[in-house]
Amino acid sequence: MKLDLKAAEKWFASQKWEAAAFQEAAWQAYAEGKNGIVNAPTGSGKTYSLLLPILIRESKGKGLRAIWITPIRALAKEIRQSAERAIEGMGLEFTVGIRTGDTSTAERNRQKKQMPNLLITTPESLHLLLAGKHNHQTFRHLHTVVVDEWHELMGSKRAVQMELALSRLRGINPQLQSWGISATIGNMEEALDVLLGPEFPEDLKTMIRSGTRKKIEVESVLPDTIEVLPWAGHLGIKMLEKVIPILESSESTLIFTNTRSQSEIWYQRILDVAPQMAGLMAMHHGSISKELRNWVEDALYTGQLKAVVCTSSLDLGVDFRPVETIIQVGSPKGVARFMQRAGRSGHQPGATSKIYFVPTHSLELVEAAALRSAIEEELIEERFPYLRSFDVLVQYLVSLAVGDGFYPEEIFPEIRSTFSYQSLREEEWAWCLKFVCDGGASLESYDEYHKVEIEEDGKYVVNRRRTAMRHRMSIGTIVGDGVVKIKFEGGGYLGTIEEYFISRLKPGDAFWFAGRNLELVRFKGMEAQVKLSRSGKGQVPSWQGGRMPLSAQMGMMLRKKLEESHSHSSKDPELQLIKPLWEVQEERSIIPKREQLLIERFQSREGHHLFIYPFEGRAVHEGMSALLAYRISLLESISASIAMNDYGFELLSDKPLPIEEALDTDIFSLQDLREDIMHSVNAIELAGRRFRDIAVISGLVYRGYPGEPVKEKHLQSNSSLIFKVLNDYEPDNLLLQQSYEEALEFQLEEGRLRQALERINGQEIVIKDLEKPSPFCFPIMVDRLRERLTNESLEERVKKMQIDLY
């Protein structure tokens, strides 16, 4: 097909832009009817590489012609602005609409009567459209689907949602063109297969790469003195005096923290030290109200704000051109995440992104050097796709049944065409169909699980209005922890806090939220009423899942940087600065080379300590430490408590651990690995925790109506009850089996654990007996204390330990 792209070229010229080679390549590939991925760095013009040919080809077309998927709502507004700017500039007839969770009922009703030509939406809202009546009519003119930020969706169940939605849309229109837009990930070719399906015709797919590298300058904010016995978390705030001048010298700055509680602390402490920032600084994270987040984004775009303290809520591609500087507080634990955040500055083609790294403890300076080298070597993480997520599949089948209904013989080949379900067997398909009809063998006697009915002609449909309504309100795969709304007594809405935190407070207690000092007035149902507090003190909320695990690429780079430190060959300013720490480490133990695994042990009043340093990240260490503790216990009756960080882990026992004997029995063996993991951890407990989310996604438990959610403890008890029933009476239930698979693969990272053990089996194992703790083991000891002490008493205890041990 020939596309006249002169209008696009003319409009680009009017904007004083020059089309990049990858943009022209994408325009041509789209014109030829190809499907694929546009891979280019942040701020290089990826959006217009697909938006312009779509607008030109589909202008004057009737009905819904193109769908643009965005993983976050904040991006939808920017995409619409970009589209409308181009439509006006090229003089096209084309309508653009947004449909997300924020879209008003009036706007949805307008869209029901007449869909826009281009709909910007989310994976969840697209599934809601598939669950609508007459969806064949809605999608009959659809020609193109673009999935933006595909790298961000990959490795999540939202990507599985997209695979299923695309399979249905291709079923409605076999000529559908599917495109993804992605920053670089380590497995780009696999990402293309996940988007299009493993059997997609080779002659119709393509990968458009920009061929340009984003220039990223990494500068660490270095402390004046180095703690040779470091511990995590406290150093960052001590660096404030060095951070304030960076804020003052920049027009606008994003300060990224890794957790919401950290952002609350940093926001408050900056105001304490630099009160002149009041009114020029804001905070942005996922628990703050939508209205406040929108205001912050708009104020940042128009240059009203000098600084915003944020979390991953501002990771993705909103175009904040006024942003000049990025500050990262603490290690982001991954190269791709760090590059994504750096790219928020210099957000235009050819511009250099500058990011300042603020360490939260001395050893994080090694991570800063590792990040810089990883960027130079383009060592970027892979995103592994979810496979065989039966919870998402059964939700999807009910969505189809709520909509126009479906015939299994028509839908089964579509589902098998996806990457996630290519191995789906006939008997598993039959199980899924039975499950959506009656809940399966263990639950078929309960009427609430009888959702889908089979009509005389074999069509699967949902006839009950209540079932359809409840299902539509439950569509999605993002299952957050139970949240409580925070409102002022007068009615103003501030945002949400997790139920487990607020339920610990009593009326009159003060806490910080959204940069305000608040006092709890009353807590009823799922709403907490508050008023402003004048105490100036209070607890900082903590959110579950705050700690991000170290990626495999970061672990590999850390081991490389340690070897450079060992040979004193490093030119990184961070590694040179922490020479005093290396000196103490070498005096008390060793700095391991890449072909060595270091094990340290010593005895204290607490007992016998054994430290092992694979440098593989917290998640892998969780599984490995439990595995080794179990295998040692087979040699000698022994119990050990476990602590860990991203660098290593500790086994603490009341008697010496027979590590030499354990090494003789090949303690790091891969033989019987899965069985030993299942024995070493509380597999039932881990699977039960995963099952809670699976139960919600699959519709086994109901989260409640808007404004009347089911309490977290009730949700947990309902899913726990079903989990126990299935464990006892239906062990072959596919959702139950999925919960065990997810616990192994995503919580304990069995795949990475297996690779780590393979690597360790080829290493020299060095055991060092210590008289005093080393800089490597000290932060792990502190992490164990952290579970028992508040921040204030922890800091006092650590100071005493440092004096005693140094």
Side-chain angles (χ1 to χ4, degrees):
M1 185 188 82
K2 183 71 176 164
L3 259 188
D4 183 6
L5 293 166
K6 286 179 184 171
E9 291 163 0
K10 188 177 177 183
W11 181 66
F12 254 50
S14 73
Q15 303 293 307
K16 295 186 172 55
W17 297 339
E18 185 177 340
F22 84 89
Q23 290 174 320
E24 292 179 334
W27 297 347
Q28 187 58 41
Y30 181 83
E32 292 170 0
K34 295 282 181 73
N35 304 255
I37 288 178
V38 174
N39 167 222
T42 300
S44 59
K46 297 191 295 284
T47 302
Y48 282 130
S49 69
L50 290 172
L51 194 51
L52 293 189
I54 291 171
L55 295 177
I56 291 168
R57 185 175 70 180
E58 303 301 341
S59 64
K60 299 183 182 176
K62 292 181 179 177
L64 179 60
R65 311 293 295 182
I67 290 176
W68 196 286
I69 300 292
T70 168
I72 56 170
R73 299 172 191 176
L75 266 173
K77 186 169 63 175
E78 186 197 338
I79 300 297
R80 182 171 65 182
Q81 288 170 346
S82 297
E84 288 174 343
R85 194 182 307 137
I87 290 165
E88 185 182 344
M90 293 187 290
L92 302 175
E93 293 178 27
F94 205 85
T95 56
V96 184
I98 292 177
R99 190 184 185 96
T100 68
D102 294 339
T103 304
S104 68
T105 305
E107 177 61 21
R108 286 167 195 253
N109 289 336
R110 277 194 294 273
Q111 290 175 3
K112 268 185 189 175
K113 292 174 186 172
Q114 185 173 4
M115 272 288 184
N117 302 134
L118 170 64
L119 182 69
I120 304 161
T121 189
T122 60
E124 294 75 20
S125 291
L126 178 56
H127 274 252
L128 268 167
L129 287 173
L130 288 169
K133 298 297 181 188
H134 313 299
N135 60 58
H136 270 72
Q137 287 289 104
T138 304
F139 298 119
R140 65 182 171 153
H141 298 299
L142 182 68
H143 193 279
T144 308
V145 177
V146 177
V147 188
D148 210 342
E149 307 283 2
W150 179 234
H151 62 282
E152 195 66 29
L153 289 172
M154 268 281 288
S156 74
K157 290 183 180 179
R158 298 180 84 198
V160 180
Q161 276 185 295
M162 279 313 307
E163 290 182 70
L164 290 168
L166 286 168
S167 75
R168 181 78 285 263
L169 295 175
R170 290 182 194 122
I172 294 170
N173 180 0
Q175 304 306 312
L176 183 82
Q177 277 184 263
S178 311
W179 282 85
I181 294 178
S182 179
T184 301
I185 53 176
N187 53 334
M188 283 303 305
E189 295 299 331
E190 186 175 46
L192 182 61
D193 285 343
V194 176
L195 181 72
L196 300 180
E199 302 301 322
F200 201 86
E202 287 293 326
D203 61 327
L204 290 178
K205 67 181 186 182
T206 185
M207 178 80 71
I208 307 288
R209 299 181 190 265
S210 71
T212 59
R213 287 181 58 179
K214 182 71 175 174
K215 295 174 190 166
I216 297 176
E217 187 181 334
V218 180
E219 182 178 330
S220 291
V221 181
L222 302 174
D224 293 326
T225 57
I226 287 296
E227 283 187 336
V228 293
L229 291 178
W231 58 286
H234 70 298
L235 179 61
I237 288 295
K238 293 183 179 178
M239 305 285 282
L240 258 178
E241 289 181 8
K242 292 178 180 287
V243 169
I244 298 299
I246 298 171
L247 297 181
E248 289 176 337
S249 63
S250 176
E251 285 295 315
S252 63
T253 304
L254 291 182
I255 305 162
F256 279 104
T257 64
N258 293 331
T259 65
R260 296 173 190 183
S261 51
Q262 203 178 21
S263 68
E264 294 277 350
I265 292 167
W266 267 80
Y267 178 84
Q268 202 53 50
R269 294 299 295 273
I270 289 172
L271 285 180
D272 289 345
V273 175
Q276 69 273 18
M277 292 293 290
L280 298 173
M281 184 174 68
M283 185 161 32
H284 191 291
H285 61 65
S287 292
I288 291 173
S289 69
K290 175 192 73 180
E291 292 75 18
L292 187 51
R293 289 200 310 271
N294 287 345
W295 178 86
V296 172
E297 289 162 20
D298 290 342
L300 197 53
Y301 193 84
T302 55
Q304 298 173 50
L305 290 172
K306 196 166 177 62
V308 175
V309 185
C310 57
T311 60
S312 55
S313 60
L314 284 183
D315 270 6
L316 292 187
V318 185
D319 184 4
F320 296 132
R321 288 229 171 101
V323 173
E324 203 180 324
T325 306
I326 304 296
I327 295 173
Q328 169 68 46
V329 177
S331 170
K333 305 299 179 185
V335 186
R337 186 182 294 113
F338 190 66
M339 290 175 68
Q340 185 81 34
R341 292 178 174 181
R344 298 296 93 222
S345 72
H347 200 274
Q348 52 240 6
T352 297
S353 296
K354 175 77 177 274
I355 184 165
Y356 290 90
F357 182 96
V358 179
T360 64
H361 62 95
S362 300
L363 280 171
E364 275 194 338
L365 288 165
V366 188
E367 294 188 51
L371 282 163
R372 187 186 295 109
S373 293
I375 292 168
E376 288 169 1
E377 295 179 26
E378 296 187 25
L379 193 70
I380 298 167
E381 291 85 9
E382 298 179 348
R383 296 297 295 266
F384 298 106
Y386 271 74
L387 301 176
R388 299 164 55 81
S389 299
F390 291 103
D391 52 347
V392 184
L393 179 54
V394 296
Q395 184 191 97
Y396 169 68
L397 293 178
V398 178
S399 294
L400 295 183
V402 166
D404 291 333
F406 70 92
Y407 294 98
E409 62 274 14
E410 178 188 356
I411 297 299
F412 184 51
E414 291 180 6
I415 290 169
R416 283 280 299 270
S417 73
T418 66
F419 191 92
S420 183
Y421 301 105
Q422 58 187 304
S423 65
L424 185 67
R425 300 193 301 271
E426 292 273 1
E427 59 269 27
E428 292 168 333
W429 174 241
W431 184 92
C432 292
L433 292 174
K434 177 173 169 55
F435 177 85
V436 299
C437 289
D438 61 22
S442 297
L443 302 169
E444 59 188 346
S445 57
Y446 298 93
D447 188 56
E448 65 184 286
Y449 299 112
H450 291 235
K451 296 177 181 177
V452 177
E453 299 168 33
I454 308 173
E455 295 186 334
E456 286 184 13
D457 65 348
K459 183 189 268 190
Y460 282 57
V461 296
V462 169
N463 287 320
R464 287 191 281 193
R465 191 164 171 268
R466 182 169 178 267
T467 300
M469 182 175 68
R470 282 175 61 149
H471 178 76
R472 283 196 187 100
M473 287 191 291
S474 302
I475 285 176
T477 60
I478 301 172
V479 184
D481 295 288
V483 293
V484 173
K485 288 184 177 178
I486 303 296
K487 286 186 173 180
F488 281 123
E489 282 182 296
Y493 174 60
L494 286 169
T496 58
I497 278 183
E498 288 181 9
E499 183 183 2
Y500 89 100
F501 171 79
I502 203 78
S503 61
R504 300 195 322 237
L505 302 182
K506 303 187 297 293
D509 284 353
F511 65 100
W512 291 98
F513 182 76
R516 294 179 171 96
N517 193 204
L518 305 173
E519 180 184 314
L520 179 65
V521 177
R522 62 184 66 85
F523 175 31
K524 187 177 181 183
M526 300 301 280
E527 182 177 301
Q529 290 191 356
V530 299
K531 63 182 180 182
L532 289 174
S533 170
R534 294 178 181 172
S535 68
K537 296 180 180 177
Q539 297 185 49
V540 173
S542 55
W543 281 266
Q544 302 279 47
R547 286 178 167 173
M548 295 178 282
L550 195 75
S551 72
Q553 283 71 13
M554 277 293 291
M556 186 166 68
M557 215 22 111
L558 266 178
R559 292 190 292 274
K560 179 184 175 185
K561 288 297 170 187
L562 285 172
E563 185 167 68
E564 289 178 14
S565 303
H566 183 279
S567 61
H568 304 288
S569 63
S570 173
K571 294 177 182 174
D572 293 297
E574 296 90 352
L575 300 189
Q576 291 177 0
L577 180 71
I578 57 175
K579 276 182 180 174
L581 185 149
W582 298 141
E583 288 167 3
V584 174
Q585 178 66 30
E586 287 186 307
E587 176 191 317
R588 298 186 181 187
S589 177
I590 64 162
I591 299 172
K593 299 176 185 176
R594 266 188 286 185
E595 68 272 14
Q596 293 177 321
L597 175 75
L598 173 62
I599 298 177
E600 295 177 338
R601 64 184 173 190
F602 74 95
Q603 186 177 356
S604 74
R605 283 173 293 184
E606 291 181 293
H608 295 266
H609 306 257
L610 187 75
F611 296 92
I612 301 175
Y613 304 100
F615 291 92
E616 284 287 353
R618 183 180 292 274
V620 175
H621 294 162
E622 182 181 355
M624 192 185 292
S625 58
L627 174 72
L628 297 193
Y630 167 72
R631 287 177 170 177
I632 289 172
S633 73
L634 297 178
L635 299 173
E636 186 177 331
S637 178
I638 209 159
S639 63
S641 62
I642 296 171
M644 73 208 71
N645 65 10
D646 281 314
Y647 308 143
F649 56 88
E650 173 196 39
L651 302 179
L652 173 61
S653 178
D654 59 354
K655 55 184 178 179
L657 292 160
I659 186 63
E660 285 91 353
E661 187 183 345
L663 290 171
D664 289 340
T665 61
D666 205 3
I667 194 174
F668 292 105
S669 168
L670 281 90
Q671 189 175 344
D672 301 323
L673 179 60
R674 177 164 282 207
E675 294 81 357
D676 285 358
I677 292 173
M678 298 295 272
H679 283 114
S680 67
V681 298
N682 187 343
I684 293 177
E685 171 64 26
L686 289 181
R689 274 191 255 159
R690 300 295 300 196
F691 187 78
R692 172 193 168 277
D693 288 1
I694 289 169
V696 169
I697 293 167
S698 64
L700 278 174
V701 297
Y702 183 53
R703 280 184 284 192
Y705 294 100
E708 298 176 31
V710 174
K711 274 205 161 192
E712 180 70 13
K713 60 184 178 185
H714 295 151
L715 199 63
Q716 190 67 53
S717 63
N718 292 346
S719 63
S720 297
L721 184 61
I722 295 171
F723 179 76
K724 190 173 188 314
V725 168
L726 298 181
N727 236 352
D728 291 345
Y729 300 106
E730 197 186 337
D732 59 347
N733 182 290
L734 293 181
L735 298 175
L736 179 72
Q737 290 178 4
Q738 182 186 336
S739 68
Y740 282 96
E741 287 292 328
E742 286 190 11
L744 281 168
E745 193 51 51
F746 297 105
Q747 181 148 354
L748 300 176
E749 296 204 36
E750 184 194 3
R752 273 188 65 193
L753 173 57
R754 190 175 291 273
Q755 290 174 348
L757 292 174
E758 284 176 357
R759 177 176 58 78
I760 289 168
N761 278 311
Q763 289 181 312
E764 175 197 359
I765 294 175
V766 180
I767 300 175
K768 283 290 181 181
D769 289 297
L770 311 183
E771 293 181 11
K772 294 179 179 180
S774 71
F776 279 5
C777 70
F778 188 77
I780 304 176
M781 295 171 67
V782 175
D783 255 28
R784 177 162 39 78
L785 287 174
R786 196 186 300 275
E787 304 298 322
R788 306 199 303 262
L789 300 171
T790 66
N791 277 345
E792 291 81 4
S793 59
L794 176 66
E795 187 152 5
E796 291 168 12
R797 176 77 181 274
V798 170
K799 280 178 183 172
K800 288 177 186 171
M801 286 170 64
Q802 287 172 324
I803 292 166
D804 289 345
L805 298 171
Y806 189 64

